[in-house]
Amino acid sequence: QVQLVESGGGSVQAGGSLRLSCAASGYTARRVCMGWFRQAPGKEREGVAGIATGSGSTYYADSVKGRFTISQDNAKNTLFLQMNSLRPEDTAMYYCAADLRPERLCFDERLPYNNWGQGTQVTVSS
C-alpha cells in the first residue's frame, strides 16, 4: 500500500520560503506520477505542481510558476516542493499525492490521484 508522509509546513511572512517534503513508500515502480495539491478553507482543492518521476517532466499551476519548484530524490523516494516568494494567497493545507498510471497521463486533470498524504499546513502572513 502506498504511503505518503508530508513535512515542512509552517508559518512564514510574505516573501519568505518553505520547503515541503513527501516521503513515499509502499511501491516499487520507478515511474510514477506525483504531485502537490493545496486546499484553502472554503475553496476547492487545486493542483500546484506535478512530476513524472521517470522522465522528470514537470507541471506547474500558473499561480506558482517561477516561485515554486517540484523535485525528487529517487534514491530516498522523496518528493519536494520548494516554495519561494510566498504570498498570503498561498496559505493552505498542502497535500502530496501519487498515482501509478502511465507517465503520459500524469498531467491529465480528468484523472484522480489515488494515494494521498495527510497534509501539511502552510500559513503566509502579510
Side-chain angles (χ1 to χ4, degrees):
Q1 183 175 354
V2 177
Q3 291 188 326
L4 304 169
V5 180
E6 302 97 333
S7 60
S11 297
V12 296
Q13 290 190 327
S17 298
L18 283 173
R19 189 192 196 203
L20 305 184
S21 299
C22 173
S25 62
Y27 62 89
T28 57
R30 291 294 183 184
R31 299 173 182 268
V32 300
C33 303
M34 298 194 75
W36 289 97
F37 293 76
R38 67 186 181 187
Q39 188 167 20
K43 294 187 177 181
E44 292 187 355
R45 186 175 62 196
E46 63 172 339
V48 175
I51 187 168
T53 63
S55 67
S57 297
T58 57
Y59 159 86
Y60 294 95
D62 288 343
S63 58
V64 306
K65 281 181 182 177
R67 301 187 298 122
F68 291 11
T69 303
I70 189 171
S71 62
Q72 58 180 329
D73 181 339
N74 286 339
K76 297 182 179 180
N77 277 358
T78 304
L79 183 72
F80 302 101
L81 185 68
Q82 178 66 44
M83 306 186 294
N84 298 328
S85 301
L86 282 162
R87 304 167 180 167
E89 54 263 40
D90 294 319
T91 295
M93 185 71 79
Y94 283 70
Y95 298 91
C96 172
D99 196 88
L100 304 184
R101 61 178 177 253
E103 287 199 337
R104 59 184 173 83
L105 300 176
C106 276
F107 308 134
D108 189 335
E109 296 180 350
R110 298 168 297 177
L111 301 177
Y113 276 73
N114 291 320
N115 304 281
W116 294 84
Q118 82 289 350
T120 186
Q121 177 68 38
V122 171
T123 302
V124 185
S125 58
S126 58

